[in-house]
Amino acid sequence: MERIRMKNPVVEMDGDEMTRVLWAWIKEDLLEPFVELKTEYYDLGLVHRDETDDQVTIDAGAAIKKWRVGVKCATITPNQKRLEEYGLKRIWKSPNGTIRAILDGTVFRAPIVVEPIKPVVRNWEKPITIARHAYGDVYKGSEIRVPGEGRAELVFTGADGERKSKIIYDFEGPGILQGTFNKDSSIQSFARSCFEYALSTDQDLWFSTKDTISKTYDATFREIFENLYESAYRAAFEARGLRYFYTLIDDAVARVIRAKGGFVWACKNYDGDVMSDMISTAFGSLAMMTSVLVSPDGNYEYEAAHGTVTQHYYRYLEGCETSTNPTATIFAWSGALRKRGELDETPDLIDFANRLEAAVLETLTAGICTKDLAELYSSGVAVRSVSSKAFLAEIRKRL
Ligand code: NAP
Ligand code: MG
């Protein structure tokens, strides 16, 4: 059989533990037999990150900027325990954080929906994609434990020496204080990424904050979105019959639960952190969440939302067969190949990506799955949970 050719490469970022094992199997069983894979390979496995003093992660980020499409395997974010386990030179930063800083992107997370696996919320028919603004707010906040009576003030000193200040509170006893910030430039990038992503996936965009309470901070988020929509996106949205919809976060929560799905929900940093876990749990499993980082200038990095599935890897090392779910990692590849095909205008590659996803969904719809999903099927479906290798073979048959 003649294999599909690629015009330009995708940036391939290998990773760690069980997902590194799955990565090689997915390529061998599902990709290489059909596609003459053209990738620029970066080994982001922890051993190689340590050997290169993490330069490989920075190089991979630069490569995504060059080639515009990357696909990443899950990687270990080092901590003290990993430092000892791997004998690391130091505790390297999270690769995802490093790449996000290089691309200045927004992360979009969407569940993979399979007919016989019903979400907890029964009226959800289509996926809900969470767009999380992954910069600032409480994640870069400064806090003070107030020891006792005294005055708390908010002070800004301009580069020209001009001061603005406000009294926050006159404490009569001990308490707590928190200072947070964000930047117009970051919010604008976030807004642009959201509008672009909604258009490219043909979905409505929702955005929510608490601007009735936070009349400057959250209201600035709302205004930046509104201004960008009016100046750059309204025409494109209307031409496609799509809607940009702003509402308060509490109203959004109520509407999301009653909705049918099929839209992008843009959230501030903290809201996105919380809501993405709520959405993935309600849709079924972390192993069925895809994740794509989109930069405002149109670079895309695809990955699974889950980690390296460490416990399964230790069992694999002992020689046990594991039933680790490769679905989200396969969808990371299909997402990257589809985007490559769109940018290069190579319909065969787009077609392959669609067929690959269809083969996975068909396998799951037939009740053949990995162990994590077995319990989630609606009653009446004959479910057979198999090993990762056997699951890949079933997909291959259908592909
Ligand atoms: P995890 O690897 O996502 O695994 C957490 C648990 O979720 C697993 O123990 C497993 O449950 C279940 N699970 C997740 N993915 C699964 C899959 N594909 N198939 C079946 N079950 C799955 O998270 P973690 O244990 O917190 O982190 C492990 C390592 O991954 C850490 O070193 C962390 O730094 C890294 N991490 C990387 C990324 C990334 O690169 N994007 C994201 C998160 C975490 P059972 O054990 O009950 O079967
Ligand atoms: Mg979280």
Side-chain angles (χ1 to χ4, degrees):
M1 197 183 87
E2 205 183 318
R3 295 190 300 166
I4 296 160
R5 290 216 191 84
M6 294 172 62
K7 246 191 222 166
N8 290 302
V10 300
V11 178
E12 173 186 354
M13 288 156 281
D14 211 340
D16 288 301
E17 300 194 311
M18 202 58 216
T19 41
R20 188 182 179 97
V21 175
L22 294 176
W23 193 261
W25 289 349
I26 290 167
K27 286 174 67 180
E28 195 180 307
D29 295 351
L30 299 179
L31 304 177
E32 279 160 350
F34 306 99
V35 180
E36 223 168 86
L37 272 188
K38 206 178 198 180
T39 73
E40 197 166 295
Y41 180 85
Y42 292 86
D43 183 359
L44 300 197
L46 187 49
V47 174
H48 194 238
R49 272 182 279 151
D50 194 50
E51 281 167 5
T52 62
D53 293 342
D54 209 22
Q55 185 60 39
V56 66
T57 310
I58 295 161
D59 293 346
I64 300 171
K65 275 198 133 162
K66 178 178 177 194
W67 295 112
R68 301 190 54 197
V69 185
V71 57
K72 182 180 165 291
C73 179
T75 47
I76 292 168
T77 300
N79 54 18
Q80 188 58 36
K81 192 166 153 276
R82 298 297 197 167
L83 181 92
E84 288 155 27
E85 183 182 355
Y86 282 80
L88 301 178
K89 294 180 202 159
R90 47 172 289 206
I91 296 183
W92 305 106
K93 283 192 207 154
S94 145
N96 290 39
T98 301
I99 292 170
R100 198 156 57 214
I102 293 170
L103 295 181
D104 181 25
T106 298
V107 176
F108 296 85
R109 283 185 162 199
I112 299 158
V113 179
V114 190
E115 215 283 315
I117 299 177
K118 293 272 178 259
V120 173
V121 181
R122 265 170 291 153
N123 45 284
W124 287 354
E125 292 166 8
K126 291 181 185 168
I128 294 166
T129 302
I130 295 278
R132 174 181 173 191
H133 181 217
Y135 181 80
D137 300 350
V138 291
Y139 300 85
K140 284 202 185 278
S142 309
E143 305 190 332
I144 293 177
R145 178 83 176 98
V146 174
E149 195 180 333
R151 171 167 288 186
E153 286 176 279
L154 194 59
V155 180
F156 171 77
T157 312
D160 58 3
E162 203 184 301
R163 279 164 57 101
K164 281 184 170 214
S165 74
K166 266 189 177 178
I167 297 169
I168 298 172
Y169 192 64
D170 282 316
F171 282 91
E172 62 287 336
I176 41 184
L177 257 179
Q178 181 180 65
T180 69
F181 73 94
N182 225 300
K183 301 191 295 187
D184 283 13
S185 60
S186 175
I187 303 166
Q188 270 152 4
S189 291
F190 173 51
R192 189 170 291 282
S193 298
C194 291
F195 287 121
E196 288 288 336
Y197 185 85
L199 279 176
S200 83
T201 56
D202 225 6
Q203 300 185 86
D204 289 345
L205 176 67
W206 295 21
F207 181 45
S208 53
T209 71
K210 191 73 181 174
D211 66 305
T212 44
I213 298 299
S214 171
K215 290 190 170 70
T216 300
Y217 199 108
D218 279 21
T220 299
F221 275 83
R222 190 202 63 226
E223 282 160 16
I224 287 174
F225 267 72
E226 232 166 60
N227 292 342
L228 189 62
Y229 179 66
E230 293 301 340
S231 64
Y233 288 100
R234 181 184 272 284
F237 267 62
E238 284 178 354
R240 303 274 282 281
L242 299 175
R243 188 162 82 118
Y244 167 61
F245 172 58
Y246 175 84
T247 187
L248 283 174
I249 178 80
D250 30 5
D251 180 53
V253 167
R255 286 171 187 267
V256 161
I257 296 298
R258 291 194 308 260
K260 286 190 160 56
F263 53 89
V264 180
W265 182 12
C267 292
K268 288 179 61 198
N269 208 350
Y270 174 82
D271 299 340
D273 185 350
V274 177
M275 292 307 159
S276 66
D277 278 15
M278 189 273 286
I279 295 281
S280 66
T281 308
F283 267 105
S285 158
L286 192 59
M288 297 291 278
M289 282 299 271
T290 62
S291 178
V292 55
L293 176 70
V294 182
S295 76
D297 47 346
N299 303 311
Y300 294 78
E301 185 213 32
Y302 294 83
E303 64 168 342
H306 60 76
T308 58
V309 213
T310 310
Q311 295 314 316
H312 292 214
Y313 182 60
Y314 293 154
R315 265 177 273 146
Y316 166 82
L317 288 180
E318 286 164 10
C320 300
E321 221 177 31
T322 74
S323 184
T324 317
N325 192 341
T327 302
T329 305
I330 298 171
F331 272 64
W333 273 102
S334 58
L337 294 177
R338 182 187 295 106
K339 183 53 74 181
R340 184 76 278 163
E342 285 169 11
L343 295 176
D344 293 352
E345 297 178 15
T346 47
D348 284 358
L349 196 59
I350 300 173
D351 185 51
F352 173 75
N354 292 338
R355 282 168 192 266
L356 175 57
E357 290 180 1
V360 176
L361 297 178
E362 212 181 285
T363 306
L364 289 168
T365 305
I368 301 163
C369 64
T370 45
K371 219 167 107 194
D372 55 306
L373 297 180
E375 306 276 286
L376 303 174
Y377 278 82
S378 14
S379 55
V381 183
V383 178
R384 182 156 64 90
S385 85
V386 296
S387 69
S388 301
K389 256 287 179 193
F391 184 64
L392 292 174
E394 291 285 345
I395 297 167
R396 169 78 184 268
K397 257 197 253 170
R398 289 162 176 82
L399 185 61

